Structure formats: structure tokens, C-alpha cells
């Protein structure tokens, strides 16, 4: 049981480049979300999804796109990387009926934009 | 006022000490309360969850919820260097459509041998 798998673990991008961060879960969870984690800022919600074909914006969506074509996968796309997007990106999932029991997080992608 | 307030620390204690970590919140609709532990360069992992008010104990860890004061706590007894991590509180309501956790910013704990 792998849980939530994020790839890559580390990435360095040049300003203006685009890339996709991958997130996959094998728990048949309806809810998936992307957070960025910056020192002193806590977790900030970027985008989330409550099922295949359904996505919505969180607190800080600008510069990011998501799609959810399957229950298992929820990729996050950076359209044109900027230094302000240097951060740790965390993917999380849960059952929408058992969110009170907490999310399962991936191990994160550490992104540096130069 | 933010929905969830958590002292960021850092908090440094000697090995064997009792540690108290706390969060306050403003939304009376919150019913489920969680504590996550996050080691450096890792994702958060769920440590404990509690429904409504009361205490829950798991080994050296005790979670307390006081809904009347909108205050939750995590106590760590006989703290160990392996407890050094950032601890995040999180909470959520129980109504239909409640799937969005609200997180505190986290408290960084160091347990010194």
C-alpha cells in the first residue's frame, strides 16, 4: 500500500519554464489537494478536487493548473515558473466522507526556480 | 483573526521533559481535531485525531480538546530526540461537504539529548 506518491522529489527550474508535478494515490480517495509550504506561511491550498473531472481553486491558485482525469492522479502544472514559486509542494488525499480522520500526505516535491 | 492560531516556536526542551503544544481556533463548527507530525524534508503524518471535546491518549501522546474555550493541546510525555519535528494542528467541521481541513502554521520542536 503506497499511499500518496509524489514525483519528482527535487526539481530545479529556470524562470519561464513549465513543468508538471505528479501525485498519485492508491486508496480510492475522492478528495485530493495541492498545498505549498513556505517558512512562516504554513500550508496554503493551491487547488483541490473532489472527484474525477471536478477541480476548484484554493487560496493561492495563480500560476498553477490542475486536472483530474482519474481518481488516482492529480497532477499540478506550473505554467511559467517564477522565483516566487520556489517552495515545497505537498499533495494530500482523503475520503470525502472521512475527512475528519485526516488527510494522507505525500512526501513532497522541493522546487527551486532560478 | 485567523481561524486557527498556533505558536510557531521554535520550542527547545531537554530530553525527558513534558511538552505542551497548543492551538486556538475561532470557528465553533469545528468538530474533528488532528495533530500532524512533520519531520524535516518529509510530508506531514497524522499523529492523532479527536472528535469533539475530551482527551485521547496514545502511548506518550495525549490530545485534549476544550470546545468551550476553543483550545486544543498535544502533550508529549518523556520527550525523546526522535520527537524533534514540526507539529501542525488541523481541524474540520462535520457537516455534509466538510472535507477541507484548516491548519495551524505549525510549531517546531527540538528535544535536546
Amino acid at each position: 500500500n503506497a499511499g500518496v506518491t509524489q514525483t519528482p522529489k527535487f526539481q530545479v527550474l529556470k524562470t519561464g519554464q513549465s513543468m508538471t508535478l505528479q501525485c498519485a494515490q492508491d486508496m480510492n480517495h475522492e478528495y485530493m489537494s495541492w498545498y505549498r509550504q513556505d517558512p512562516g506561511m504554513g500550508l496554503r491550498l493551491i487547488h483541490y478536487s473532489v472527484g474525477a473531472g471536478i477541480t476548484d481553486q484554493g487560496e493561492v491558485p495563480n500560476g498553477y493548473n490542475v486536472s483530474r482525469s482519474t481518481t488516482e492522479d492529480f497532477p499540478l502544472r506550473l505554467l511559467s515558473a517564477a522565483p516566487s514559486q520556489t517552495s515545497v509542494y505537498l499533495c494530500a488525499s482523503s475520503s470525502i466522507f472521512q475527512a475528519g480522520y485526516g488527510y494522507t500526505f505525500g512526501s513532497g516535491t522541493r522546487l527551486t526556480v532560478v | 483573526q485567523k481561524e486557527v492560531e498556533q505558536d510557531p516556536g521554535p520550542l527547545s526542551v531537554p530530553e525527558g521533559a513534558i511538552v505542551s503544544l497548543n492551538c486556538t481556533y475561532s470557528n465553533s463548527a469545528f468538530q474533528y481535531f488532528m495533530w500532524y507530525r512533520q519531520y524535516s524534508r518529509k510530508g506531514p503524518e497524522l499523529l492523532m485525531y479527536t472528535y469533539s471535546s475530551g482527551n485521547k491518549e496514545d502511548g506518550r501522546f495525549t490530545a485534549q480538546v476544550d470546545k468551550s474555550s476553543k483550545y486544543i493541546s498535544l502533550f508529549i510525555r518523556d520527550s525523546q530526540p526522535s520527537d524533534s519535528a514540526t507539529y501542525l494542528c488541523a481541524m474540520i467541521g462535520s457537516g455534509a461537504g466538510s472535507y477541507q481541513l484548516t491548519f495551524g502554521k505549525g510549531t517546531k520542536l527540538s528535544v535536546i539529548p
Side-chain angles (χ1 to χ4, degrees):
Chain A
N1 188 353
V4 177
T5 302
Q6 289 186 239
T7 56
K9 293 192 182 304
F10 304 94
Q11 184 70 49
V12 178
L13 284 181
K14 293 183 178 179
T15 298
Q17 287 185 318
S18 63
M19 80 159 294
T20 300
L21 279 62
Q22 302 291 344
C23 176
Q25 52 93 7
D26 62 358
M27 297 169 285
N28 204 32
H29 285 165
E30 304 89 350
Y31 177 85
M32 296 185 74
S33 56
W34 279 101
Y35 290 87
R36 60 177 291 172
Q37 187 175 35
D38 303 289
M41 304 293 288
L43 293 171
R44 291 185 290 171
L45 182 64
I46 304 171
H47 285 285
Y48 66 95
S49 168
V50 296
I54 306 170
T55 63
D56 207 347
Q57 297 181 351
E59 180 185 357
V60 289
N62 292 341
Y64 307 95
N65 272 357
V66 291
S67 59
R68 184 98 179 265
S69 57
T70 67
T71 300
E72 295 77 19
D73 300 299
F74 190 44
L76 177 72
R77 183 167 179 81
L78 278 69
L79 308 173
S80 177
S84 61
Q85 293 179 304
T86 293
S87 186
V88 175
Y89 290 86
L90 292 165
C91 180
S93 75
S94 79
S95 163
I96 59 171
F97 304 108
Q98 296 184 327
Y101 302 142
Y103 294 166
T104 301
F105 281 89
S107 57
T109 294
R110 190 171 293 268
L111 177 69
T112 302
V113 183
V114 297
Chain B
Q1 181 188 9
K2 292 192 181 300
E3 274 199 299
V4 178
E5 301 274 6
Q6 183 176 9
D7 187 336
L11 181 62
S12 184
V13 302
E15 182 176 353
I18 296 174
V19 176
S20 173
L21 304 169
N22 312 294
C23 288
T24 59
Y25 63 95
S26 58
N27 189 343
S28 58
F30 289 144
Q31 294 281 355
Y32 290 90
F33 304 90
M34 284 141 267
W35 286 96
Y36 283 84
R37 178 175 61 195
Q38 185 177 20
Y39 290 118
S40 180
R41 296 179 178 265
K42 300 289 186 182
E45 58 176 333
L46 183 65
L47 197 56
M48 299 180 72
Y49 73 87
T50 311
Y51 175 70
S52 194
S53 285
N55 293 0
K56 186 173 184 178
E57 188 172 319
D58 184 2
R60 297 184 294 109
F61 298 87
T62 299
Q64 282 188 355
V65 175
D66 181 350
K67 291 190 68 183
S68 62
S69 301
K70 297 188 176 66
Y71 188 87
I72 69 170
S73 301
L74 178 70
F75 296 96
I76 307 174
R77 292 184 299 280
D78 187 25
S79 56
Q80 302 295 309
S82 59
D83 296 326
S84 297
T86 297
Y87 291 80
L88 297 98
C89 64
M91 45 201 80
I92 192 171
S94 62
S98 292
Y99 43 76
Q100 210 75 273
L101 290 183
T102 300
F103 289 90
K105 289 188 175 182
T107 300
K108 186 171 183 178
L109 171 68
S110 296
V111 181
I112 311 301

Short mmCIF file of all heavy atoms in Angstrom, two decimals, chain A residues 4 6 35 37 43 88-92 103-108, chain B residues 35-47 86-90 103:
data_model
loop_
_atom_site.label_atom_id
_atom_site.label_comp_id
_atom_site.label_asym_id
_atom_site.label_seq_id
_atom_site.Cartn_x
_atom_site.Cartn_y
_atom_site.Cartn_z
N VAL A 4 0.19 7.95 -0.85
CA VAL A 4 0.28 9.07 -1.79
C VAL A 4 1.72 9.18 -2.27
O VAL A 4 2.63 9.29 -1.46
CB VAL A 4 -0.16 10.40 -1.14
CG1 VAL A 4 0.03 11.56 -2.12
CG2 VAL A 4 -1.60 10.31 -0.67
N GLN A 6 4.46 11.18 -4.68
CA GLN A 6 4.76 12.41 -5.40
C GLN A 6 6.08 12.27 -6.14
O GLN A 6 7.05 11.74 -5.59
CB GLN A 6 4.87 13.60 -4.45
CG GLN A 6 3.57 14.05 -3.86
CD GLN A 6 3.73 15.31 -3.05
OE1 GLN A 6 3.43 15.34 -1.86
NE2 GLN A 6 4.16 16.38 -3.70
N TYR A 35 -0.90 21.63 -1.81
CA TYR A 35 -0.51 22.72 -0.93
C TYR A 35 0.90 23.14 -1.28
O TYR A 35 1.71 22.33 -1.74
CB TYR A 35 -0.53 22.28 0.54
CG TYR A 35 -1.89 22.02 1.12
CD1 TYR A 35 -2.49 20.76 0.99
CD2 TYR A 35 -2.58 23.00 1.82
CE1 TYR A 35 -3.74 20.52 1.53
CE2 TYR A 35 -3.82 22.76 2.36
CZ TYR A 35 -4.39 21.52 2.21
OH TYR A 35 -5.64 21.28 2.75
N GLN A 37 4.16 24.86 0.88
CA GLN A 37 4.58 25.08 2.26
C GLN A 37 5.83 25.94 2.24
O GLN A 37 6.87 25.53 1.71
CB GLN A 37 4.86 23.75 2.97
CG GLN A 37 5.14 23.90 4.45
CD GLN A 37 5.28 22.56 5.14
OE1 GLN A 37 5.79 21.60 4.58
NE2 GLN A 37 4.82 22.47 6.39
N LEU A 43 0.74 25.88 5.59
CA LEU A 43 0.27 25.22 4.37
C LEU A 43 -0.75 26.13 3.69
O LEU A 43 -1.71 26.56 4.31
CB LEU A 43 -0.40 23.89 4.73
CG LEU A 43 0.51 22.78 5.29
CD1 LEU A 43 -0.33 21.62 5.78
CD2 LEU A 43 1.49 22.33 4.24
N VAL A 88 8.07 24.08 -1.18
CA VAL A 88 7.82 22.65 -1.06
C VAL A 88 6.35 22.42 -1.38
O VAL A 88 5.47 23.08 -0.79
CB VAL A 88 8.14 22.13 0.35
CG1 VAL A 88 7.75 20.67 0.47
CG2 VAL A 88 9.63 22.31 0.65
N TYR A 89 6.09 21.51 -2.31
CA TYR A 89 4.72 21.23 -2.74
C TYR A 89 4.28 19.89 -2.17
O TYR A 89 4.96 18.88 -2.33
CB TYR A 89 4.63 21.24 -4.27
CG TYR A 89 4.81 22.62 -4.82
CD1 TYR A 89 6.08 23.13 -5.07
CD2 TYR A 89 3.71 23.44 -5.05
CE1 TYR A 89 6.25 24.42 -5.56
CE2 TYR A 89 3.86 24.74 -5.53
CZ TYR A 89 5.15 25.22 -5.78
OH TYR A 89 5.30 26.51 -6.23
N LEU A 90 3.15 19.90 -1.50
CA LEU A 90 2.62 18.71 -0.86
C LEU A 90 1.26 18.35 -1.46
O LEU A 90 0.40 19.21 -1.63
CB LEU A 90 2.45 18.94 0.65
CG LEU A 90 3.75 19.09 1.44
CD1 LEU A 90 3.47 19.67 2.81
CD2 LEU A 90 4.45 17.75 1.57
N CYS A 91 1.09 17.08 -1.75
CA CYS A 91 -0.18 16.55 -2.25
C CYS A 91 -0.82 15.77 -1.11
O CYS A 91 -0.13 15.08 -0.35
CB CYS A 91 0.06 15.65 -3.45
SG CYS A 91 -1.42 14.91 -4.16
N ALA A 92 -2.13 15.88 -0.97
CA ALA A 92 -2.85 15.18 0.10
C ALA A 92 -4.13 14.57 -0.45
O ALA A 92 -4.69 15.07 -1.43
CB ALA A 92 -3.18 16.14 1.25
N TYR A 103 -6.04 13.81 6.49
CA TYR A 103 -5.53 13.58 5.16
C TYR A 103 -4.30 12.67 5.22
O TYR A 103 -3.59 12.62 6.23
CB TYR A 103 -5.05 14.90 4.53
CG TYR A 103 -6.12 15.92 4.24
CD1 TYR A 103 -5.75 17.23 3.95
CD2 TYR A 103 -7.47 15.62 4.24
CE1 TYR A 103 -6.70 18.20 3.67
CE2 TYR A 103 -8.43 16.59 3.96
CZ TYR A 103 -8.03 17.87 3.68
OH TYR A 103 -8.97 18.84 3.41
N THR A 104 -4.03 12.01 4.09
CA THR A 104 -2.75 11.35 3.88
C THR A 104 -1.93 12.22 2.95
O THR A 104 -2.42 12.61 1.88
CB THR A 104 -2.95 9.95 3.26
OG1 THR A 104 -3.76 9.16 4.13
CG2 THR A 104 -1.60 9.27 3.07
N PHE A 105 -0.74 12.55 3.38
CA PHE A 105 0.14 13.41 2.58
C PHE A 105 1.20 12.60 1.86
O PHE A 105 1.63 11.53 2.35
CB PHE A 105 0.85 14.43 3.48
CG PHE A 105 0.01 15.59 3.88
CD1 PHE A 105 -0.77 15.54 5.03
CD2 PHE A 105 -0.01 16.75 3.13
CE1 PHE A 105 -1.55 16.62 5.42
CE2 PHE A 105 -0.79 17.84 3.50
CZ PHE A 105 -1.56 17.76 4.65
N GLY A 106 1.64 13.13 0.72
CA GLY A 106 2.84 12.62 0.09
C GLY A 106 4.07 13.19 0.76
O GLY A 106 3.98 14.02 1.68
N SER A 107 5.24 12.76 0.29
CA SER A 107 6.49 13.19 0.93
C SER A 107 6.97 14.54 0.40
O SER A 107 7.93 15.10 0.92
CB SER A 107 7.57 12.14 0.75
OG SER A 107 7.76 11.89 -0.63
N GLY A 108 6.33 15.07 -0.63
CA GLY A 108 6.63 16.42 -1.09
C GLY A 108 7.56 16.49 -2.28
O GLY A 108 8.34 15.57 -2.55
N TRP B 35 -3.69 16.25 15.01
CA TRP B 35 -2.30 16.67 15.13
C TRP B 35 -1.47 15.89 14.13
O TRP B 35 -1.59 14.67 14.03
CB TRP B 35 -1.77 16.44 16.54
CG TRP B 35 -2.32 17.41 17.53
CD1 TRP B 35 -3.39 17.24 18.35
CD2 TRP B 35 -1.82 18.73 17.79
NE1 TRP B 35 -3.60 18.36 19.10
CE2 TRP B 35 -2.64 19.28 18.78
CE3 TRP B 35 -0.77 19.49 17.28
CZ2 TRP B 35 -2.45 20.57 19.28
CZ3 TRP B 35 -0.57 20.75 17.77
CH2 TRP B 35 -1.40 21.30 18.76
N TYR B 36 -0.66 16.64 13.38
CA TYR B 36 0.27 16.05 12.43
C TYR B 36 1.69 16.29 12.92
O TYR B 36 1.99 17.32 13.52
CB TYR B 36 0.13 16.69 11.05
CG TYR B 36 -1.07 16.21 10.27
CD1 TYR B 36 -2.32 16.77 10.46
CD2 TYR B 36 -0.95 15.18 9.33
CE1 TYR B 36 -3.42 16.33 9.74
CE2 TYR B 36 -2.04 14.73 8.61
CZ TYR B 36 -3.28 15.31 8.82
OH TYR B 36 -4.36 14.88 8.12
N ARG B 37 2.57 15.35 12.61
CA ARG B 37 4.00 15.49 12.88
C ARG B 37 4.70 15.50 11.53
O ARG B 37 4.43 14.67 10.67
CB ARG B 37 4.50 14.33 13.73
CG ARG B 37 5.99 14.34 14.03
CD ARG B 37 6.33 13.19 14.98
NE ARG B 37 6.03 11.90 14.40
CZ ARG B 37 5.96 10.77 15.09
NH1 ARG B 37 6.14 10.79 16.40
NH2 ARG B 37 5.69 9.63 14.49
N GLN B 38 5.62 16.46 11.37
CA GLN B 38 6.36 16.57 10.12
C GLN B 38 7.84 16.64 10.41
O GLN B 38 8.33 17.63 10.95
CB GLN B 38 5.91 17.81 9.33
CG GLN B 38 6.56 17.92 7.95
CD GLN B 38 6.07 19.10 7.14
OE1 GLN B 38 5.52 20.06 7.69
NE2 GLN B 38 6.23 19.04 5.83
N TYR B 39 8.54 15.59 10.02
CA TYR B 39 9.99 15.59 10.13
C TYR B 39 10.56 16.41 8.98
O TYR B 39 9.94 16.59 7.92
CB TYR B 39 10.54 14.18 10.08
CG TYR B 39 10.23 13.35 11.31
CD1 TYR B 39 9.47 12.19 11.23
CD2 TYR B 39 10.71 13.74 12.57
CE1 TYR B 39 9.19 11.43 12.35
CE2 TYR B 39 10.43 12.98 13.70
CZ TYR B 39 9.67 11.83 13.58
OH TYR B 39 9.39 11.09 14.70
N SER B 40 11.81 16.88 9.18
CA SER B 40 12.46 17.71 8.18
C SER B 40 12.51 16.99 6.84
O SER B 40 12.89 15.82 6.77
CB SER B 40 13.87 18.06 8.66
OG SER B 40 14.52 18.87 7.72
N ARG B 41 12.12 17.68 5.79
CA ARG B 41 12.15 17.18 4.41
C ARG B 41 11.24 15.98 4.19
O ARG B 41 11.48 15.15 3.31
CB ARG B 41 13.58 16.85 3.99
CG ARG B 41 14.46 18.08 3.96
CD ARG B 41 15.89 17.78 3.56
NE ARG B 41 16.67 19.02 3.50
CZ ARG B 41 16.86 19.71 2.40
NH1 ARG B 41 16.37 19.32 1.26
NH2 ARG B 41 17.57 20.82 2.42
N LYS B 42 10.18 15.88 5.01
CA LYS B 42 9.19 14.83 4.84
C LYS B 42 7.80 15.47 4.80
O LYS B 42 7.62 16.64 5.15
CB LYS B 42 9.23 13.83 6.01
CG LYS B 42 10.56 13.12 6.16
CD LYS B 42 10.79 12.12 5.06
CE LYS B 42 12.05 11.29 5.30
NZ LYS B 42 12.30 10.35 4.19
N GLY B 43 6.80 14.69 4.36
CA GLY B 43 5.43 15.17 4.42
C GLY B 43 4.84 14.99 5.81
O GLY B 43 5.33 14.19 6.60
N PRO B 44 3.79 15.75 6.14
CA PRO B 44 3.14 15.58 7.45
C PRO B 44 2.52 14.19 7.57
O PRO B 44 1.98 13.65 6.59
CB PRO B 44 2.05 16.66 7.44
CG PRO B 44 2.47 17.64 6.39
CD PRO B 44 3.19 16.84 5.36
N GLU B 45 2.60 13.63 8.76
CA GLU B 45 1.95 12.35 9.02
C GLU B 45 0.98 12.52 10.18
O GLU B 45 1.28 13.22 11.16
CB GLU B 45 2.98 11.27 9.35
CG GLU B 45 3.86 11.57 10.53
CD GLU B 45 4.81 10.43 10.89
OE1 GLU B 45 4.47 9.27 10.61
OE2 GLU B 45 5.88 10.72 11.48
N LEU B 46 -0.18 11.89 10.06
CA LEU B 46 -1.20 12.03 11.10
C LEU B 46 -0.76 11.34 12.37
O LEU B 46 -0.43 10.16 12.37
CB LEU B 46 -2.52 11.44 10.60
CG LEU B 46 -3.71 11.57 11.54
CD1 LEU B 46 -4.08 13.04 11.73
CD2 LEU B 46 -4.90 10.79 11.01
N LEU B 47 -0.77 12.10 13.47
CA LEU B 47 -0.36 11.57 14.76
C LEU B 47 -1.59 11.11 15.56
O LEU B 47 -1.64 10.00 16.06
CB LEU B 47 0.40 12.66 15.51
CG LEU B 47 1.27 12.29 16.68
CD1 LEU B 47 2.31 11.26 16.29
CD2 LEU B 47 1.94 13.54 17.24
N THR B 86 8.26 19.32 13.37
CA THR B 86 7.25 20.37 13.39
C THR B 86 5.89 19.72 13.58
O THR B 86 5.57 18.73 12.91
CB THR B 86 7.27 21.20 12.10
OG1 THR B 86 8.53 21.87 11.99
CG2 THR B 86 6.15 22.23 12.07
N TYR B 87 5.10 20.27 14.51
CA TYR B 87 3.78 19.71 14.81
C TYR B 87 2.71 20.70 14.33
O TYR B 87 2.73 21.88 14.67
CB TYR B 87 3.64 19.46 16.31
CG TYR B 87 4.52 18.33 16.76
CD1 TYR B 87 5.87 18.53 17.00
CD2 TYR B 87 4.00 17.04 16.92
CE1 TYR B 87 6.70 17.48 17.38
CE2 TYR B 87 4.82 15.98 17.30
CZ TYR B 87 6.16 16.22 17.52
OH TYR B 87 6.98 15.17 17.90
N LEU B 88 1.80 20.18 13.51
CA LEU B 88 0.72 21.02 12.97
C LEU B 88 -0.62 20.55 13.53
O LEU B 88 -0.90 19.35 13.55
CB LEU B 88 0.65 20.93 11.45
CG LEU B 88 1.85 21.40 10.63
CD1 LEU B 88 2.73 20.24 10.24
CD2 LEU B 88 1.40 22.14 9.38
N CYS B 89 -1.42 21.50 13.98
CA CYS B 89 -2.79 21.15 14.33
C CYS B 89 -3.68 21.36 13.10
O CYS B 89 -3.35 22.14 12.20
CB CYS B 89 -3.30 21.98 15.50
SG CYS B 89 -3.42 23.75 15.20
N ALA B 90 -4.80 20.65 13.07
CA ALA B 90 -5.74 20.78 11.95
C ALA B 90 -7.13 20.48 12.47
O ALA B 90 -7.30 19.74 13.44
CB ALA B 90 -5.37 19.83 10.81
N PHE B 103 -5.58 24.33 8.83
CA PHE B 103 -4.33 24.00 9.53
C PHE B 103 -3.80 25.19 10.30
O PHE B 103 -3.97 26.35 9.90
CB PHE B 103 -3.25 23.60 8.51
CG PHE B 103 -3.46 22.26 7.87
CD1 PHE B 103 -4.18 22.15 6.68
CD2 PHE B 103 -2.94 21.11 8.43
CE1 PHE B 103 -4.39 20.93 6.08
CE2 PHE B 103 -3.13 19.88 7.83
CZ PHE B 103 -3.85 19.79 6.65
#
